[in-house]
Amino acid sequence: MRNPLILLGLFLSLVGMQSIFAQKSDTLHLEGNWRFEIDAADVGTTAQWFSRKLKDNIILPGSMLTNNKGNDITIKTQWTGSIYDSSFYFNPRFEKYRRAGDVKFPFWLTPEKEYVGAAWYQKEITIPKDWDNKHIYLYLERPHTETLLYLDTQKIGMQNSMVAPHQFDLSSYLTPGTHTLSIRVDNRIKDINVGPDSHSLTDHTQGNWNGIIGKLKLIATPEIYIEDIQAYPDRTAKEVRFKVAIAQLKQQAEKLKLNVELETFNTTTTQKLKPYTASFKISSTRDTLFATIPLGEKIALWDEFDPALYRAKVTLSSSAGIDQQVLQFGIRDFKTKATSFLINDRPVFLRGTLDNAIYPLSGHPPMDVDSWTKVFKTIKDHGLNHVRYHSWCPPEAAFKAADLVGIYLQPEGPSWANHGSALGLGRPIDTYIYEETNRMETHYGNYASYVMLAYGNEPTGRQVEYLSAFNEYWKQRDNRRLYTGASVGGSWPIVPNNEFMVRGGARGLDWKNETPQTLKTFTKNIAQFEVPFVSHELGQYCVFPNFKETEKYTGPLKAKNFELFEEDLADHHMLDQADDFFMASGKLQALCYKYDIEKALRTPNYAGYQMLSLSDYSGQGTALVGMLDAFWDPKPYIDVTAFREFANTTVPLAELPKFVYTNDELFTATALVSHYGRTILNANQNWQITNEKEAILASGSFDTPEIGFGLSTLGEVKVPLSEIKTPQKLTLTIAIENTEFKNHWDFWVYPKELPAVTTQVYECTSLDKKALKTLNAGGTVLLNAAGKIVKGAEVIQTFIPVFWNTSWFQMRPPHTTGILIDPEHPLFNEFPTEYHSDLQWYSIVNKQQVMHLEDFPADFKPLIQPIDTWFMNRRLAMAFEAKVGNGKLMVVSVDLNDPEKDAAAHQFYYSLQKYMASAEFNPKNDLHIALIEDLFKTPSKQQFDKYTNDSPDELKPKNKGK
């Protein structure tokens, strides 16, 4: 592995590393119409396309995609990104989605056009006479990815960065008059392979577009000019140190005057400091000036609550003229103390989401501050304070907006060095990561919101050695932020010198294997770590697609994946249930996020979480894991107020041993609070238990006069349940008085003793002779099919919904996303429920078989309907009723009379018995007995076949870093 100091030397020798903030200079803006030509055969350089006029036109800033340039999408399109479930290409069921002219890929959003290769962009420029003898450079913001520049017929050079502007010094080449700029942009993965699934370029996310999407301009400054400015605030010393890199076109001795004007610009009262002025001498072509400026006694600090910012106007005067740059920065200390983060010596808990570069209206990230401000305000409105950029770095506008809104950012190098790439093996990627993160420091290092850095996501290779050196390099180079080698899952090797961990292994709900409660924490999972632990990609609970969202895709990316899933659902006779599936699965998703986040908040020494994601992820098989859609718009099953209850600066918590009770029990709960607000709280706290009519059944308060930072215990709640005579849902609410902070937990109470039900129903576990005789005679049969189902046995159901999605993990279980119920059906008269999964359904649903009704009549609807993964769209059931022969039949695939099950299951069994004994039990559908018998005999005709023996890297044996 190469020495980081050698890498730095290589980096500093590269062309065009000056940082542009705002500059007093002459500027030619180059936005607008450019000549254009696709170089699919890669002959443009040898054929000297730069010496002739290109034949097409394009609008910049923009991409080939936004200009509708490139190739039509076909089944043979070579995508940038892994596809682990190849069944789409072979499965006869998907043949109609592979047809030319209307290909519908299930894996990600489909661009209207695609192109990977070289393309040429050309424009005439006219250089004014007064630019003679000036420093002139071309500024290209966010090209993708490699640029080769020609001025007239002169080759200027090549740059390759996915994180920073490409800048070309043209001072030695430009003369007054008309010239031609020709830029060859190449978006192929060449020697530098960051990994085809890196969010910086993969088709799973923003896509591997070709173009230039930000500012395009020529800038002229005096021949002695400011090349870069870095500000290093010192909160303790109440001063800021400026490091000003100076350059001149020719080596000469020159006297310089440096002037710095400092003031706050987004505070209630503007603080304007005394200007700083100093004289210097320069004799080489490059030098560095240092200026330390006192900030006075009343400094304005930056954090999530008060994001105060300073503006510095730096002016360099010389005989060549005046050069000026303006930069913004904030004064803050973002540090660690043991296992906690501190912002300006106050504890901070990172409540985060990922930005996965999903931009469905443009196919690339926004380049303006307003768009980013809107996103950050949405994140902040949901109670969050942190964003991680998974294997990519956002443009400068994002940092500016985060500074203004008060959001802690973790940008990353543009790499997921896996799936065909690796670190520490002497490949070009090793050097490129250092180059790119240095460019990030140069261009974005002054922004207060830039508080954390990782190389990128989940690498392979000699990762521990490489990332340890990476951490050491950055710790020594820049103390303005904290460093971790990589953001990784729980099986990745530990990098020992991480300043904080972003890691899996301490996230999720183990409700597949244990009854839901709120007593357990992640304490054991993080006990080995002596630095702050932040959960990597918490959640990933899926929701069924919202097909109404499809009409929102008015840009160059189309939701062909949604169209495919919708058509397939119609083919399975359930399109009329699509909205119900979406809403019911969404309620379960929101419930899982609530209890996962609360588990993190209950864990001592836990430092934060990063959801994946607050908004939907359109790639990797379509991962609908967000409670906002891909446009950062809300979904109807949860609103921002409800989300903030369990994701906010201050969150009341409750330790509950269970959620299902009988009325002979004592309800007990320990009240806690997680507090990471602006100040210590001096407020009373109260609790109450209400019923569904919002009547208060019990209430009380806690004697905790002061709530300090971190996790605190408020007190105990104890309420006898003997007065509850009927089955019902109750709600415990804990509130901090005179604040917005409150939280609630639903629980269910059932009678301990249930009366016997007199019934003529024949109950059986198979369609035996007596069952058939009873049906033929016009009788009623309850068939308990638990454990005996064959048609549907391949469908694995747990209470927890699909993780990420079943395509990316080749149908790894679970396969369902909750259940759909009609709560008004008389089956539930004695079992109060809503239309979706809730915690009283746990023992009825978890690890229970489902029945696949693939041969049932098209209009047949079950009474309890598990919602299948949208890749299969099987019509499933846990309970259904029908007329069979002369009789009436109820079939359930769960043993409700199992003594190991809880009171909710027994209450539902009672409700079922009462219903079947009543006149209301009158099924509408007639079914032939052979259809019922087939559920126990014949496997499903629709089976998942992955058509490949490979598996995702995440599922392969653990990487030991060797």
Side-chain angles (χ1 to χ4, degrees):
M1 190 176 65
R2 303 181 190 183
N3 189 308
L5 296 178
I6 297 175
L7 293 172
L8 177 59
L10 291 171
F11 167 78
L12 293 177
S13 68
L14 295 176
V15 177
M17 288 300 101
Q18 56 264 52
S19 175
I20 303 305
F21 305 95
Q23 196 160 29
K24 183 179 179 182
S25 56
D26 295 324
T27 303
L28 286 180
H29 292 281
L30 304 178
E31 294 85 358
N33 191 57
W34 285 61
R35 291 196 295 273
F36 172 77
E37 199 164 331
I38 294 173
D39 188 4
D42 201 9
V43 298
T45 303
T46 55
Q48 299 185 358
W49 285 14
F50 48 82
S51 64
R52 65 165 175 84
K53 287 189 175 182
L54 302 180
K55 300 173 182 177
D56 197 0
N57 291 282
I58 198 167
I59 301 297
L60 295 179
S63 69
M64 287 178 61
L65 180 59
T66 59
N67 283 272
N68 199 34
K69 307 286 186 183
N71 305 315
D72 292 334
I73 304 302
T74 73
I75 198 66
K76 294 183 179 180
T77 296
Q78 295 296 303
W79 299 104
T80 303
S82 303
I83 298 175
Y84 289 119
D85 172 13
S86 61
S87 61
F88 169 79
Y89 290 90
F90 305 102
N91 194 326
R93 175 170 143 246
F94 293 135
E95 189 278 331
K96 63 180 178 178
Y97 306 118
R98 302 193 292 262
R99 294 172 184 167
D102 192 27
V103 175
K104 291 182 171 69
F105 280 92
F107 310 115
W108 48 68
L109 301 175
T110 304
E112 292 182 326
K113 300 283 186 179
E114 67 81 30
Y115 180 74
V116 177
W120 291 74
Y121 302 78
Q122 191 177 74
K123 193 177 188 69
E124 264 86 41
I125 57 173
T126 300
I127 303 301
K129 292 181 180 179
D130 62 359
W131 279 26
D132 202 17
N133 297 320
K134 287 195 173 185
H135 166 238
I136 306 170
Y137 60 96
L138 176 66
Y139 181 92
L140 306 173
E141 187 181 22
R142 201 53 60 118
H144 189 81
T145 54
E146 178 188 277
T147 55
L148 178 64
L149 176 66
Y150 288 84
L151 178 67
D152 299 324
T153 60
Q154 175 73 47
K155 179 180 177 181
I156 303 302
M158 186 273 285
Q159 291 192 30
N160 186 342
S161 176
M162 289 186 278
V163 304
H166 295 197
Q167 298 177 167
F168 295 89
D169 193 329
L170 301 178
S171 306
S172 303
Y173 306 97
L174 276 176
T175 57
T178 301
H179 299 270
T180 300
L181 288 176
S182 298
I183 306 171
R184 178 183 180 271
V185 179
D186 194 341
N187 61 328
R188 288 174 291 184
I189 296 177
K190 297 181 179 179
D191 292 340
I192 300 169
N193 183 3
V194 298
D197 294 319
S198 303
H199 292 9
S200 54
L201 85 169
T202 183
D203 285 304
H204 286 289
T205 58
Q206 61 183 292
N208 191 10
W209 47 270
N210 185 304
I212 306 169
I213 61 170
K215 300 180 184 71
L216 302 94
K217 53 189 176 182
L218 279 166
I219 300 173
T221 73
E223 61 178 318
I224 302 174
Y225 58 94
I226 301 171
E227 192 170 46
D228 178 46
I229 308 172
Q230 295 295 315
Y232 300 90
D234 188 327
R235 182 178 68 92
T236 304
K238 296 184 179 180
E239 64 186 23
V240 57
R241 181 173 179 260
F242 290 97
K243 181 180 177 183
V244 186
I246 306 298
Q248 55 180 343
L249 296 182
K250 55 182 179 289
Q251 185 168 335
Q252 59 185 331
E254 182 73 26
K255 293 181 179 179
L256 308 176
K257 181 181 178 183
L258 188 71
N259 182 267
V260 182
E261 298 176 47
L262 269 178
E263 64 179 7
T264 60
F265 68 90
N266 67 333
T267 51
T268 304
T269 303
T270 300
Q271 296 183 26
K272 195 168 185 177
L273 280 70
K274 181 181 178 181
Y276 169 92
T277 302
S279 297
F280 301 89
K281 290 182 180 180
I282 185 173
S283 56
S284 59
T285 55
R286 277 183 168 78
D287 204 347
T288 302
L289 310 182
F290 295 94
T292 300
I293 302 176
L295 294 168
E297 287 303 311
K298 293 184 178 180
I299 59 175
L301 298 178
W302 184 94
D303 65 14
E304 63 187 279
F305 304 105
D306 297 297
L309 295 170
Y310 286 78
R311 180 181 290 123
K313 183 167 70 174
V314 181
T315 304
L316 181 72
S317 303
S318 70
S319 62
I322 295 175
D323 191 20
Q324 189 176 90
Q325 289 190 20
V326 178
L327 68 147
Q328 73 179 50
F329 64 92
I331 301 168
R332 52 88 179 138
D333 288 332
F334 191 81
K335 297 181 178 179
T336 68
K337 183 178 181 181
T339 56
S340 298
F341 291 110
L342 301 177
I343 181 75
N344 303 327
D345 294 333
R346 187 185 64 243
V348 60
F349 189 97
L350 294 182
R351 307 176 304 279
T353 184
L354 268 62
D355 186 319
N356 295 296
I358 305 296
Y359 299 104
L361 289 180
S362 59
H364 62 69
M367 301 301 291
D368 62 293
V369 173
D370 288 347
S371 294
W372 285 103
T373 299
K374 181 180 178 182
V375 168
F376 289 138
K377 284 185 175 179
T378 299
I379 291 169
K380 204 85 176 283
D381 287 345
H382 282 78
L384 306 182
N385 62 1
H386 170 52
V387 181
R388 174 197 161 207
Y389 293 86
H390 181 307
S391 60
W392 77 290
C393 176
E396 186 171 34
F399 293 92
K400 288 183 177 180
D403 270 17
L404 291 167
V405 175
I407 294 281
Y408 308 117
L409 300 186
Q410 182 190 318
E412 295 184 343
S415 179
W416 186 352
N418 209 317
H419 314 165
S421 182
L423 295 179
L425 303 181
R427 298 172 181 174
I429 182 67
D430 290 350
T431 304
Y432 188 68
I433 291 299
Y434 280 90
E435 293 171 353
E436 287 285 76
T437 51
N438 268 280
R439 284 186 272 259
M440 290 165 63
E441 178 204 36
T442 298
H443 291 274
Y444 317 128
N446 293 319
Y447 290 105
S449 53
Y450 183 6
V451 297
M452 305 159 80
L453 173 67
Y455 115 87
N457 190 68
E458 295 178 342
T460 189
R462 295 176 62 188
Q463 52 189 285
V464 173
E465 181 182 354
Y466 180 89
L467 295 174
S468 296
F470 177 85
N471 282 342
E472 272 317 302
Y473 171 81
W474 277 111
K475 288 179 189 179
Q476 294 176 27
R477 180 173 174 83
D478 193 339
N479 65 357
R480 290 178 292 182
R481 60 197 57 86
L482 300 173
Y483 303 100
T484 194
S487 302
V488 297
S491 64
W492 262 255
I494 295 171
V495 177
N497 63 346
N498 283 345
E499 293 187 292
F500 63 98
M501 299 287 173
V502 176
R503 190 172 182 84
R507 67 185 188 200
L509 300 167
D510 192 24
W511 288 357
K512 299 175 188 177
N513 303 308
E514 62 182 19
T515 302
Q517 39 66 41
T518 61
L519 299 178
K520 293 192 175 181
T521 68
F522 298 116
T523 298
K524 291 183 180 178
N525 309 77
I526 65 172
Q528 63 179 307
F529 301 114
E530 298 178 351
V531 297
F533 181 96
V534 181
S535 176
H536 176 262
E537 301 176 5
L538 177 145
Q540 306 184 50
Y541 304 110
C542 276
V543 63
F544 198 81
N546 177 16
F547 298 128
K548 293 179 180 177
E549 185 184 316
T550 307
E551 64 188 24
K552 298 170 69 171
Y553 290 83
T554 57
L557 295 174
K558 302 303 181 186
K560 299 287 187 178
N561 48 354
F562 277 44
E563 293 176 19
L564 183 158
F565 303 140
E566 185 175 20
E567 290 180 35
D568 191 60
L569 188 68
D571 290 343
H572 287 81
H573 315 299
M574 294 182 289
L575 184 58
D576 61 325
Q577 294 183 288
D579 289 345
D580 293 334
F581 288 171
F582 166 62
M583 288 296 294
S585 62
K587 287 293 187 181
L588 176 60
Q589 179 200 49
L591 180 145
C592 290
Y593 272 109
K594 168 183 170 67
Y595 286 101
D596 205 346
I597 289 173
E598 288 183 4
K599 187 175 180 182
L601 293 174
R602 288 197 311 273
T603 303
N605 301 319
Y606 208 87
Y609 58 82
Q610 296 168 346
M611 298 172 59
L612 206 164
S613 161
L614 184 62
S615 59
D616 279 341
Y617 185 102
S618 305
Q620 292 182 5
T622 309
L624 305 176
V625 297
M627 281 177 279
L628 304 177
D629 65 22
F631 301 84
W632 293 88
D633 292 334
K635 295 180 181 180
Y637 51 80
I638 185 171
D639 62 27
V640 64
T641 302
F643 187 85
R644 284 174 66 91
E645 279 197 7
F646 55 84
N648 208 338
T649 57
T650 305
V651 178
L653 301 166
E655 291 182 335
L656 300 169
K658 57 183 180 177
F659 292 92
V660 173
Y661 294 83
T662 53
N663 60 0
D664 65 333
E665 293 184 271
L666 179 70
F667 173 82
T668 62
T670 300
L672 312 171
V673 63
S674 170
H675 175 59
Y676 292 90
R678 188 196 308 260
T679 61
I680 290 173
L681 268 180
N682 297 104
N684 296 326
Q685 316 95 43
N686 61 56
W687 63 270
Q688 61 182 26
I689 292 176
T690 54
N691 62 19
E692 291 190 88
K693 295 181 180 180
E694 299 186 355
I696 299 175
L697 306 184
S699 62
S701 60
F702 303 108
D703 185 21
T704 306
E706 182 177 273
I707 298 174
F709 296 119
L711 186 64
S712 304
T713 300
L714 298 179
E716 300 295 321
V717 175
K718 295 183 179 180
V719 178
L721 299 174
S722 54
E723 297 300 314
I724 308 300
K725 304 300 183 184
T726 59
Q728 57 187 281
K729 180 179 77 174
L730 303 181
T731 301
L732 168 67
T733 301
I734 299 174
I736 312 298
E737 295 179 8
N738 301 315
T739 73
E740 66 166 310
F741 308 124
K742 68 174 184 177
N743 201 358
H744 78 279
W745 301 266
D746 296 332
F747 63 98
W748 289 261
V749 182
Y750 301 101
K752 172 65 175 177
E753 301 295 335
L754 293 169
V757 179
T758 302
T759 175
Q760 299 299 314
V761 175
Y762 174 58
E763 298 188 25
C764 55
T765 58
S766 66
L767 285 172
D768 54 22
K769 291 181 180 180
K770 184 175 180 180
L772 297 177
K773 183 178 179 180
T774 301
L775 291 171
N776 288 332
T780 301
V781 173
L782 171 59
L783 174 57
N784 172 9
K788 297 181 173 62
I789 298 299
V790 174
K791 190 179 289 294
E794 74 281 1
V795 183
I796 306 302
Q797 174 182 249
T798 69
F799 184 81
I800 298 291
V802 165
F803 172 87
W804 197 232
N805 68 68
T806 53
S807 171
W808 184 251
F809 290 104
Q810 298 183 346
M811 211 54 60
R812 183 175 73 179
H815 303 140
T816 58
T817 57
I819 58 175
L820 178 64
I821 312 136
D822 176 7
E824 301 303 318
H825 193 283
L827 170 62
F828 305 106
N829 282 348
E830 301 293 333
F831 186 76
T833 184
E834 296 183 71
Y835 64 91
H836 53 82
S837 305
D838 214 332
L839 289 169
Q840 87 275 29
W841 281 95
Y842 174 80
S843 73
I844 304 172
V845 169
N846 191 57
K847 293 185 177 180
Q848 302 303 309
Q849 277 198 310
V850 305
M851 299 171 279
H852 186 188
L853 310 183
E854 62 181 344
D855 296 320
F856 279 49
D859 63 346
F860 189 86
K861 296 288 189 292
L863 298 173
I864 303 175
Q865 185 169 7
I867 304 166
D868 195 22
T869 166
W870 52 92
F871 290 96
M872 300 295 283
N873 285 320
R874 294 160 292 202
R875 186 166 29 152
L876 306 177
M878 288 191 69
F880 68 85
E881 62 183 5
K883 293 178 181 176
V884 179
N886 299 314
K888 297 180 289 186
L889 174 69
M890 174 74 74
V891 183
V892 294
S893 60
V894 55
D895 184 3
L896 297 170
N897 210 22
D898 181 352
E900 296 298 317
K901 292 196 177 296
D902 63 16
H906 300 151
Q907 180 71 39
F908 180 55
Y909 177 57
Y910 171 75
S911 187
L912 184 150
Q913 287 181 306
K914 291 265 290 186
Y915 168 60
M916 293 187 68
S918 72
E920 292 183 286
F921 182 45
N922 186 27
K924 296 178 180 179
N925 295 85
D926 285 288
L927 297 180
H928 194 277
I929 190 65
L931 202 60
I932 311 300
E933 291 175 326
D934 195 47
L935 294 172
F936 301 89
K937 296 178 180 179
T938 310
S940 299
K941 294 189 288 287
Q942 180 186 341
Q943 294 274 356
F944 174 72
D945 186 343
K946 61 186 181 180
Y947 294 91
T948 178
N949 292 320
D950 199 12
S951 63
D953 288 356
E954 290 90 339
L955 303 182
K956 289 178 180 176
K958 292 182 180 180
N959 188 306
K960 300 297 184 182
K962 300 295 185 183

